[in-house]
Amino acid sequence: MSLIANLYPLMKPWLFRMDAERAHEWTTRMMRISHSLGLLTVGQEKIAVRPVECLGLKFPNVLGLAAGMDKSASAVEAWSALGFGFVEVGTLTPRPQPGNPKPRLFRLPEHEALINRMGFNNPGIHSAVKRLRNRRTSAVVGVNIGKNFDTPNEGAVNDYLLGLKAAYPVADYIAVNISSPNTKGLRDLQAEDSIRSLLGALKTEQARLASEHGKTKPVLVKIAPDLEESQIEALARVFNELAVDGVIATNTTINRAAVVGHPLENEAGGLSGAPVTQRSTEVIRAFRSLLNPRPPIIGVGGILSGQQAADKLQAGAQLVQVYSGLVYRGPGLVQDILQKVG
Ligand SMILES: Cc1cc2nc3c(=O)[nH]c(=O)nc-3n(C[C@H](O)[C@H](O)[C@H](O)COP(=O)(O)O)c2cc1C
């Protein structure tokens, strides 16, 4: 195991006594410093990873960092050094915004889970794009785009079009986030008519940008786990009709069944980590059987072990991502997953 993976279990009790968001900021800063000192790779075993051709891109391996961990694209090189084959930055909105009042991130260690209602705190897409222009990494970089909290749903398409246009020159792929529970009304964009018109406009703009830049960049849609069968079928219908390039399944859940009785059960926000493992795998399986032709699926939600990553791939995902698992298992999880499925 790498030095950093060995250190994490020693640091975890101290980090877990800290406010969750402060701990996140602290670890991100430490990661950047450790990377600049070349410490992230010390003692790292060479794992024979398998590069994957997917979405017309060459991924160094199947494992990615999920959106939300690096909202401002501030540590892409460091994530890559930890072993990630791809990093999805964001969610980024057209204008910078502070997000919801704090506290807005909570740990439920008994369930290896998090509840967050961050609300797209981010420095704005243009700031992230500027950073990404100078990136030096072999990792694939996805840019996850959303709408500002004060943009009404009727005008949402303009925010997404602006995000797509801004991200296009620097992103390897663009992820359209319509599934965060923390921006009022955002998930309503998953309704059949709304997603048809939003995605239609984005596909038209993608074609225009492809001819302007001489390169087609894939546009993926990130969906919620809280969808009924009929909603999944309706979404798949639209994705097939418009030939969506890929699907990211899933975001956090608003379902609290798995954490009933926990003192934080009623905190508003999206639940992630172990409670969402099974549901997100079910959603992946459902989309795999409905999507035709077969666009890639990125599987995310409650991966806390190499086996759980393998389960997502088995259910039909081509790539996987983690967020909460990193908080509970630390950087050793990256190596565990790569050993199992890399
Ligand atoms: C604190 C936090 C912030 C997140 N922010 C975003 C975000 O900005 N955009 C997004 O698409 N997903 C966001 N997510 C969702 C994750 O990308 C992921 O889909 C979800 O947490 C399930 O994966 P996990 O169980 O491995 O955490 C966030 C998750 C957490 C825990």
Side-chain angles (χ1 to χ4, degrees):
M1 263 218 288
S2 67
L3 173 68
I4 209 87
N6 276 315
L7 280 177
Y8 191 77
L10 303 174
M11 282 164 28
K12 191 175 155 189
W14 177 73
L15 283 171
F16 270 48
R17 276 197 294 274
M18 213 187 268
D19 163 74
E21 191 168 345
R22 271 200 61 213
H24 173 246
E25 283 158 9
W26 191 88
T27 42
T28 309
R29 201 169 323 124
M30 285 316 291
M31 273 232 340
R32 274 201 307 269
I33 295 169
S34 306
H35 176 59
S36 66
L37 297 172
L39 294 176
L40 291 183
T41 48
V42 172
Q44 205 175 66
E45 285 167 60
K46 273 268 165 286
I47 299 173
V49 288
R50 164 178 66 92
V52 190
E53 297 265 356
C54 190
L55 295 161
L57 300 163
K58 195 161 184 166
F59 289 75
N61 62 61
V62 295
L63 178 62
L65 181 73
M69 183 69 99
D70 191 352
K71 285 182 187 274
S72 56
S74 68
V76 172
E77 285 83 4
W79 296 114
S80 168
L82 265 194
F84 286 102
F86 67 111
V87 181
E88 190 171 309
V89 303
T91 294
L92 291 148
T93 55
R95 285 169 282 121
Q97 60 180 38
N100 288 323
K102 296 177 187 177
R104 52 193 181 179
L105 176 59
F106 307 89
R107 304 183 193 92
L108 292 71
E110 302 82 355
H111 297 281
E112 293 194 290
L114 300 172
I115 290 177
N116 93 82
R117 50 169 178 271
M118 306 299 286
F120 293 169
N121 54 309
N122 80 100
I125 184 104
H126 300 294
S127 151
V129 164
K130 212 157 136 194
R131 275 209 178 114
L132 289 174
R133 259 191 220 120
N134 305 320
R135 74 178 142 114
R136 280 168 289 121
T137 170
S138 58
V140 167
V141 176
V143 176
N144 180 307
I145 57 172
K147 73 169 191 77
N148 279 110
F149 79 101
D150 55 355
T151 301
N153 270 11
E154 304 77 66
V157 64
N158 296 324
D159 279 15
Y160 286 99
L161 286 171
L162 188 149
L164 175 62
K165 193 169 165 201
Y168 204 89
V170 296
D172 293 313
Y173 72 83
I174 294 98
V176 177
N177 182 6
I178 47 166
S179 48
S180 166
N182 304 312
T183 295
K184 203 164 159 277
L186 192 83
R187 289 170 311 144
D188 297 342
L189 295 171
Q190 294 176 120
E192 185 166 359
D193 290 347
S194 306
I195 185 65
R196 184 175 283 111
S197 81
L198 174 63
L199 206 50
L202 289 169
K203 290 298 281 184
T204 306
E205 179 66 359
Q206 178 194 30
R208 194 192 66 74
L209 289 163
S211 77
E212 183 182 322
H213 293 272
K215 194 169 173 20
T216 300
K217 306 240 173 138
V219 174
L220 289 78
V221 182
K222 183 164 179 179
I223 53 160
D226 309 308
L227 297 166
E228 291 176 9
E229 214 176 307
S230 60
Q231 293 175 298
I232 292 179
E233 284 165 9
L235 276 176
R237 207 162 36 239
V238 176
F239 294 166
N240 291 342
E241 235 171 79
L242 295 175
V244 70
D245 299 312
V247 174
I248 306 175
T250 66
N251 213 310
T252 56
T253 181
I254 53 165
N255 189 312
R256 293 290 189 268
V259 297
V260 169
H262 192 281
L264 297 175
E265 172 196 355
N266 293 322
E267 287 294 348
L271 176 68
S272 58
V276 83
T277 311
Q278 201 186 333
R279 179 59 193 155
S280 97
T281 305
E282 283 165 13
V283 172
I284 292 164
R285 193 170 289 116
F287 272 99
R288 182 74 294 152
S289 70
L290 292 167
L291 292 175
N292 186 18
R294 295 173 58 82
I297 296 176
I298 302 182
V300 50
I303 296 178
L304 288 102
S305 69
Q307 184 55 51
Q308 287 167 342
D311 293 344
K312 293 263 192 286
L313 296 173
Q314 235 236 313
Q318 276 61 49
L319 301 161
V320 291
Q321 292 175 326
V322 294
Y323 187 136
S324 306
L326 265 190
V327 174
Y328 284 97
R329 304 289 164 93
L333 178 63
V334 176
Q335 302 300 302
D336 286 352
I337 294 175
L338 292 180
Q339 232 136 24
K340 179 80 183 171
V341 300

